[in-house]
Amino acid sequence: MGRAFEFRKARKLKRWGNMAKTFTRLGKQIAIAVAEGGPEPENNSRLRAIIATCKHENMPKDNIDRAIKNAVGKDKNSWKTMTYEGYGPHGVAIFVDTLTDNPTRTVADVRSIFNKFNGNLGTMGSLAFLFDHFAQFTFKPKDGMDMDELVLELIDYGVNDEFDEEEDEETGEKSITIYGDPKSFAQIQGYLEENGFEITSAEFTYIPNDLKEVTDEQRETIDKMVEKLEEFDDVQNVYTNMK
């Protein structure tokens, strides 16, 4: 399955560790989607994608409905998507995706953690060469589905021919994850929906193209830094190139 699967799985285990923070972050994503495309999921593909992720993360329907209702009439410009990047301990590259209504507060919070761990917060785009940006979709496979044929069709939508298959150890439920051009997010989502696939997660992600070896002791320090960054409500995702 390759590096993409190993990296994604590791980040997922950390990212959704705190359910309350997960719901807060998903609520912000709902607010942006509603402000951009309206409160009706059937007419708002981005909102549909976020709702699918909410359901997969067991966010109660009442919470989802409340987040949509609260977002109606809000100005999307009150929220800004900011990405901060720099080097953490032991030369490991770190990307921090945030969604904030106060960039001054957010950059101060992020910088404080970099400083605490003797890291160096760089300028936007300075480490982009170390990561590939993807639209990532996870969905349930159909019975008798030929994945090779599906990938051939999706290539026209900018999807990579490398995909990941995973099986839940407790339920035995299988899932497929594909990676594609971020600019084709809506087209990929549309294809999956029109062809009857149940999407369980849809998001943008960064995957490192150059993994850095670390010792167990170094990994422990970097993990602590990532956990501290993820404690901030403004932080949506944290990515590293740590192997």
Side-chain angles (χ1 to χ4, degrees):
M1 284 180 251
R3 65 176 177 84
F5 171 77
E6 293 175 355
F7 177 78
R8 181 180 65 84
K9 185 177 181 182
R11 294 306 316 132
K12 277 289 185 184
L13 289 174
K14 288 181 172 298
R15 180 181 170 193
W16 303 117
N18 186 310
M19 189 167 290
K21 290 187 181 298
T22 295
F23 294 168
T24 297
R25 292 166 185 172
L26 288 170
K28 289 183 179 181
Q29 294 177 30
I30 287 174
I32 290 288
V34 170
E36 290 180 341
E40 302 297 334
E42 59 269 25
N43 299 321
N44 186 336
S45 61
R46 184 63 186 137
L47 180 58
R48 287 200 305 275
I50 295 169
I51 290 174
T53 301
C54 290
K55 291 178 178 178
H56 186 62
E57 298 303 331
N58 298 316
M59 185 172 180
K61 185 177 183 300
D62 287 347
N63 292 45
I64 297 172
D65 292 342
R66 190 182 310 115
I68 293 173
K69 183 179 180 180
N70 291 340
V72 174
K74 297 285 182 66
D75 184 359
K76 68 178 181 180
N77 293 322
S78 62
W79 294 100
K80 295 185 182 298
T81 300
M82 308 291 292
T83 299
Y84 303 100
E85 52 204 270
Y87 285 103
H90 315 297
V92 169
I94 299 177
F95 258 45
V96 186
D97 265 350
T98 69
L99 185 57
T100 178
D101 59 353
N102 188 334
T104 302
R105 176 195 65 221
T106 304
V107 70
D109 289 341
V110 172
R111 182 178 285 113
S112 71
I113 300 301
F114 271 83
N115 291 341
K116 181 178 181 179
F117 285 86
N118 297 316
N120 180 30
L121 189 61
T123 57
M124 189 174 295
S126 60
L127 300 184
F129 68 97
L130 291 174
F131 293 83
D132 297 318
H133 193 202
F134 291 109
Q136 175 182 302
F137 289 85
T138 300
F139 57 92
K140 295 181 181 179
K142 296 180 181 180
D143 292 338
M145 180 186 72
D146 188 322
M147 194 60 201
D148 291 331
E149 287 187 10
L150 178 61
V151 168
L152 282 176
E153 290 191 40
L154 286 168
I155 284 176
D156 291 337
Y157 295 82
V159 173
N160 291 1
D161 59 4
E162 184 177 326
F163 58 90
D164 300 325
E165 297 179 273
E166 190 172 3
E167 183 173 333
D168 189 289
E169 293 179 357
E170 294 182 0
T171 66
E173 190 175 84
K174 296 180 179 180
S175 63
I176 303 289
T177 299
I178 56 175
Y179 306 87
D181 185 343
K183 295 178 182 177
S184 299
F185 188 99
Q187 292 93 324
I188 298 169
Q189 179 184 348
Y191 177 91
L192 293 173
E193 290 178 341
E194 290 166 10
N195 286 275
F197 289 99
E198 182 181 344
I199 299 172
T200 58
S201 176
E203 61 186 336
F204 296 101
T205 191
Y206 288 93
I207 295 178
N209 54 50
D210 182 20
L211 297 173
K212 185 174 180 60
E213 294 274 5
V214 295
T215 66
D216 289 343
E217 185 177 356
Q218 290 171 339
R219 181 184 305 278
E220 184 177 348
T221 300
I222 297 160
D223 281 343
K224 286 180 180 177
M225 179 178 178
V226 170
E227 288 167 5
K228 287 295 183 183
L229 286 166
E230 290 178 333
E231 287 178 2
F232 296 121
D233 286 341
D234 292 340
V235 172
Q236 296 287 301
N237 294 293
V238 180
Y239 307 95
T240 82
N241 72 337
M242 177 174 62
K243 186 170 184 179

